[in-house]
Amino acid sequence: GESVGLHLPTLSVQEGDNSIINCAYSNSASDYFIWYKQESGKGPQFIIDIRSNMDKRQGQRVTVLLNKTVKHLSLQIAATQPGDSAVYFCAENDSGAGSYQLTFGKGTKLSVIP
Amino acid sequence: SAVISQKPSRDICQRGTSLTIQCQVDSQVTMMFWYRQQPGQSLTLIATANQGSEATYESGFVIDKFPISRPNLTFSTLTVSNMSPEDSSIYLCSVESRDLGGLAGYGEQFFGPGTRLTVL
């Protein structure tokens, strides 16, 4: 089904502060999760992923946390920079269903205040 | 990763006409995906296009409205037929990393830059 929502949630963060973007996913069978960043006029860009056998994964300046009990995913961005301003989407996949499809969350717009 | 290009990057079309969007990948891939992103919203999967077989459409999307071609392993087209203003969206194609030699069992999708369609 399609996402329903006229307005994206917005998070405003001061440059240099840490950002936390949250996502609630719907399918308890999902076992693979991805965070994407979408800048204006561009396609989504892969940031970081995590599998359901992990609860935390770190990348460069980014950390993804997974709480399967409450079906919650978060993306933490350390020392947020103006270049981090974008819309962030979480996506989930249930590989056990034999499907390669990703289901995307609604997205959060991150605005970094210089 | 993969380099994915789309044509056109944007277009403004009249109601009732059709537009064909092209997606080109620099690697051979089995599956290509077509998404729609309505203004201010998330991505919704339209269909999965496998080379050599008919596309598989998601609920709410039909072949008559969104015919897809997949003539080879590096190319696909999506046509938006008999357009109305409600079809104004960004249309994106993507490929899956497992097709590109990623780890078996999991894989992120790589997206093209999108085609921004406005229907008047």
Side-chain angles (χ1 to χ4, degrees), chain A residues 1-6 8 31-32 34 36 38 41-44 46 49 51 89 95 100-102 104-106, chain B residues 31 33 35-38 40-45 58 61 92 96 98 103 105-109 111-113:
Chain A
E2 294 195 25
S3 299
V4 177
L6 297 178
L8 288 171
D31 57 357
Y32 179 58
I34 308 172
Y36 282 95
Q38 187 177 27
K42 297 183 179 180
F46 172 87
D49 60 359
R51 302 173 189 176
F89 294 97
S95 65
Y100 295 90
Q101 296 174 11
L102 293 177
F104 281 80
K106 292 183 179 180
Chain B
M31 288 179 294
F33 303 88
Y35 288 84
R36 179 174 73 182
Q37 186 176 24
Q38 294 177 302
Q41 296 194 30
S42 187
L43 283 75
T44 301
L45 182 65
E58 296 302 302
F61 298 97
L92 298 136
E96 222 260 359
R98 279 166 283 191
L103 292 173
Y106 297 93
E108 68 269 27
Q109 290 181 16
F111 286 84

Side-chain angles (χ1 to χ4, degrees), chain A residues 3 5 7-9 21-24 33-40 42-49 64 73-75 77 86-92 102-110, chain B residues 36-44 90 92 111:
Chain A
S3 299
H7 303 287
L8 288 171
I21 301 170
N22 296 304
C23 175
F33 306 87
I34 308 172
W35 279 101
Y36 282 95
K37 172 186 180 183
Q38 187 177 27
E39 297 174 282
S40 181
K42 297 183 179 180
Q45 177 185 6
F46 172 87
I47 302 173
I48 191 168
D49 60 359
V64 56
L73 197 65
S74 70
L75 176 71
I77 304 174
V87 178
Y88 290 81
F89 294 97
C90 64
E92 58 182 299
L102 293 177
T103 301
F104 281 80
K106 292 183 179 180
T108 297
K109 182 176 181 179
L110 175 65
Chain B
R36 179 174 73 182
Q37 186 176 24
Q38 294 177 302
Q41 296 194 30
S42 187
L43 283 75
T44 301
I90 299 171
L92 298 136
F111 286 84

